[in-house]
Amino acid sequence: MASPGSRTKTTEVWLLPEDERDVGRRIGEVLPRAGWLCSHPGPKGLHQVHLHPSLGEALDCGGCQAFLLLPEGGRGPEGVQVAEGAVAGPALTHSAVLQLLCSRRFRDDEGEAIEAGRLAVRWYEPEVGPERHRLLTDQTRLAWQALRSATRPAPVETPDGRRVSGLRIGSAAYDLVAGTGMALTRGGSQRLRLVAGRIAGGGRGASAAG
């Protein structure tokens, strides 16, 4: 259960690297002053954190996830190194961090599968105040509109035929899965099957913020 005052939004999504770049490009179109932090494995402080102008650059630098500072143009944490082209407003602190966690393609005893990543954000309304809450809500809405424009609904079925909705998939990931029958997962061992013939454009992701 979410903490009182917590505003969260999460959508699980299957993306190949080209889909990730497309999502990042579209978010950049609606939030052009936003910067992405790279994320390196290992203990805090082991690696220099950079503020990049694009999601693609942040993923190339850090690996499997990147973080968008909200409101757009907010400065990063203390000690962050600002990469060329990134915008960091000296007077604007960030109040929320939007996570793009990459999908993971893997193989085990049951064959090859793709594990869902996610787009997720959280902030606490009592901490940011009503004006900043409205700004974060508006910018979160724009980010999810960009996600929806770059992906499509991904209705899937469990092995017993139960439908699972509220998930999305990128175009390249869809072509791969629909063409090969590759399984999908949501981070657990259960394999999901894409109901490819029922996919249509548009729709909304899961859980609304605000």
Side-chain angles (χ1 to χ4, degrees):
M1 180 179 296
S3 302
S6 173
R7 297 294 179 259
T8 64
K9 187 176 180 72
T10 302
T11 296
E12 292 178 273
V13 59
W14 290 280
L15 303 170
L16 293 187
E18 51 265 53
D19 298 320
E20 294 161 2
R21 269 55 178 180
D22 190 23
V23 170
R25 178 181 62 81
R26 297 191 192 217
I27 292 177
E29 289 173 353
V30 297
L31 297 172
R33 296 173 60 247
W36 292 87
L37 295 174
C38 56
S39 175
H40 300 268
K44 183 178 180 180
L46 180 63
H47 302 283
Q48 175 67 54
V49 176
H50 309 93
L51 182 66
H52 297 272
S54 72
L55 172 63
E57 291 175 65
L59 291 176
D60 288 342
C61 182
C64 68
Q65 63 180 341
F67 299 94
L68 180 77
L69 301 178
L70 294 177
E72 63 169 327
R75 66 174 182 264
E78 184 178 356
V80 68
Q81 188 173 90
V82 181
E84 183 177 356
V87 176
L92 181 64
T93 58
H94 71 275
S95 300
V97 179
L98 184 150
Q99 178 201 39
L100 188 289
L101 176 66
C102 297
S103 303
R104 183 176 69 95
R105 189 170 171 178
F106 67 96
R107 181 180 295 276
D108 60 14
D109 292 342
E110 296 185 50
E112 193 171 17
I114 305 178
E115 180 181 310
R118 65 175 174 265
L119 194 69
V121 68
R122 172 183 290 180
W123 68 87
Y124 293 92
E125 185 176 354
E127 293 182 1
V128 303
E131 183 176 348
R132 181 59 63 90
H133 169 67
R134 286 191 294 270
L135 180 59
L136 293 173
T137 299
D138 290 343
Q139 294 191 357
T140 294
R141 184 179 301 112
L142 290 174
W144 257 262
Q145 287 174 352
L147 174 69
R148 291 194 294 271
S149 73
T151 60
R152 61 182 77 189
V156 296
E157 288 184 347
T158 63
D160 60 3
R162 181 175 62 86
R163 289 288 299 276
V164 183
S165 60
L167 314 173
R168 300 195 71 86
I169 189 168
S171 295
Y174 167 72
D175 289 342
L176 174 65
V177 174
T180 63
M182 188 180 298
L184 301 169
T185 78
R186 301 177 67 187
S189 61
Q190 186 182 59
R191 293 307 209 252
L192 303 171
R193 182 178 70 89
L194 183 69
V195 188
R198 302 179 193 176
I199 289 184
R204 297 186 61 87
S207 304

